[in-house]
Amino acid sequence: MDRQFTLDELHAVVAALRGENGCPWDRAQTHESMKRNTIEEAYEVNQAVSDLSATGQADNLCEELGDLLLQVMLHSQIAEENGEFTLEDVIDGITRKMIRRHPHVFGGETYESDEERRAAWEAIKSQEKKDAGQQQTVRSELAEVPAAFPALIRSQKVLKKAEKNHLLSFREEDIFKEILESVVRLQQAAADPEKTDALTKRLGETLFAISKLAALYHLHSEFALAEETEHFIEEMS
């Protein structure tokens, strides 16, 4: 069996690819130019997980995780060249964060329930922001959900934070009423399809209300839509 390469050796390979005699494509990359690649590789990992569940074959997931790791390595190498941070800083930072955020594993703390554990997790995150000098407001907490997330994922995460801050009703009957009312407004807007701005706004309201329902039941709206799309494709074949 061929020997296995190490993380240090992968680090050296990436540095060589970015070096003076390296690959023109790799040398041309920046943090900005790699944004799309990083997102696409993350989606490839998700697809590989689905394939593993369906087939039991893990080779593709292993390969896709390697492709995603390469994105981390390239970003870290670019950052090192720019004097921003190093791969060692990335590893150190995430290791410290995991230890800090799991006192029940590494610090001897005990929690009586999952709710208590989640509350402690949020308290630790809040303290981290205070220690970093960040003034946390409700608006800033909602805005910190990355805009680059798919819209359904982002809306659901924003809504969960809004629920935590008691900013809106999460009663089942209120949500279903909101969905029904938004569908009526959407139908009214569709009566004049030339007014695309109004129709788009009403569609957004309906999707947002549905996302709120998903948040209430702790469902994943992105996965739900993806599964229904796959079901439609199968039905059409």
Side-chain angles (χ1 to χ4, degrees):
M1 179 180 178
D2 293 339
R3 75 176 183 88
Q4 289 188 313
F5 290 98
T6 66
L7 184 64
D8 286 341
E9 287 173 311
L10 174 59
H11 190 185
V13 166
V14 172
L17 289 172
R18 292 275 304 173
E20 183 177 352
N21 298 315
C23 170
W25 185 90
D26 290 286
R27 293 183 61 192
Q29 298 313 301
T30 66
H31 290 310
E32 282 292 329
S33 71
M34 288 181 55
K35 284 164 61 174
R36 178 175 176 178
N37 292 38
T38 304
I39 291 173
E40 289 178 353
E41 294 300 349
Y43 275 110
E44 293 284 355
V45 168
N46 277 349
Q47 182 60 52
V49 171
S50 297
D51 294 343
L52 172 61
S53 299
T55 67
Q57 299 298 315
D59 289 351
N60 189 45
L61 176 57
C62 181
E63 179 180 350
E64 295 301 344
L65 285 170
D67 290 343
L68 185 58
L69 175 59
L70 178 60
Q71 301 303 305
V72 175
M73 303 298 290
L74 279 167
H75 274 293
S76 299
Q77 181 64 32
I78 293 168
E80 183 173 350
E81 295 165 5
N82 294 343
E84 296 161 344
F85 56 81
T86 66
L87 176 64
E88 289 73 22
D89 293 329
V90 174
I91 295 171
D92 180 74
I94 190 58
T95 303
R96 290 178 184 276
K97 181 187 288 187
M98 289 301 97
I99 294 172
R100 185 171 61 247
R101 291 190 180 181
H102 294 84
H104 54 296
V105 178
F106 303 105
E109 294 288 340
T110 57
Y111 302 122
E112 298 297 327
S113 65
D114 287 342
E115 289 74 16
E116 189 176 331
R117 177 180 52 79
R118 282 193 292 269
W121 173 279
E122 292 298 335
I124 293 168
K125 287 175 63 179
S126 179
Q127 187 60 49
E128 289 172 353
K129 289 182 170 59
K130 289 180 182 178
D131 293 343
Q134 299 176 10
Q135 294 297 321
Q136 187 78 340
T137 65
V138 172
R139 180 183 178 86
S140 66
E141 186 175 354
L142 300 182
E144 73 182 10
V145 180
F149 276 6
L152 283 175
I153 293 178
R154 187 173 189 238
S155 67
Q156 200 163 333
K157 287 184 174 292
V158 167
L159 284 164
K160 286 181 179 179
K161 289 179 179 290
E163 178 188 20
K164 185 188 73 173
N165 287 283
H166 309 290
L167 297 180
L168 73 174
S169 170
F170 260 73
R171 294 195 310 165
E172 182 182 83
E173 56 267 37
D174 291 338
I175 294 175
F176 275 109
K177 180 182 178 182
E178 184 178 340
I179 291 173
L180 291 172
E181 291 177 347
S182 67
V183 170
V184 170
R185 291 192 295 269
L186 177 61
Q187 185 178 27
Q188 292 169 344
D192 188 355
E194 291 186 3
K195 294 184 177 179
T196 55
D197 289 346
L199 188 56
T200 299
K201 176 175 175 54
R202 296 309 183 193
L203 178 60
E205 290 175 352
T206 303
L207 291 171
F208 196 73
I210 292 172
S211 186
K212 190 184 295 185
L213 182 69
L216 172 67
Y217 290 122
H218 304 289
L219 304 174
H220 199 298
S221 53
E222 191 81 16
F223 286 171
L225 181 57
E227 288 180 8
E228 185 60 26
T229 302
E230 287 300 319
H231 176 70
F232 174 79
I233 293 171
E234 291 173 4
E235 289 292 310
M236 294 299 105
S237 60

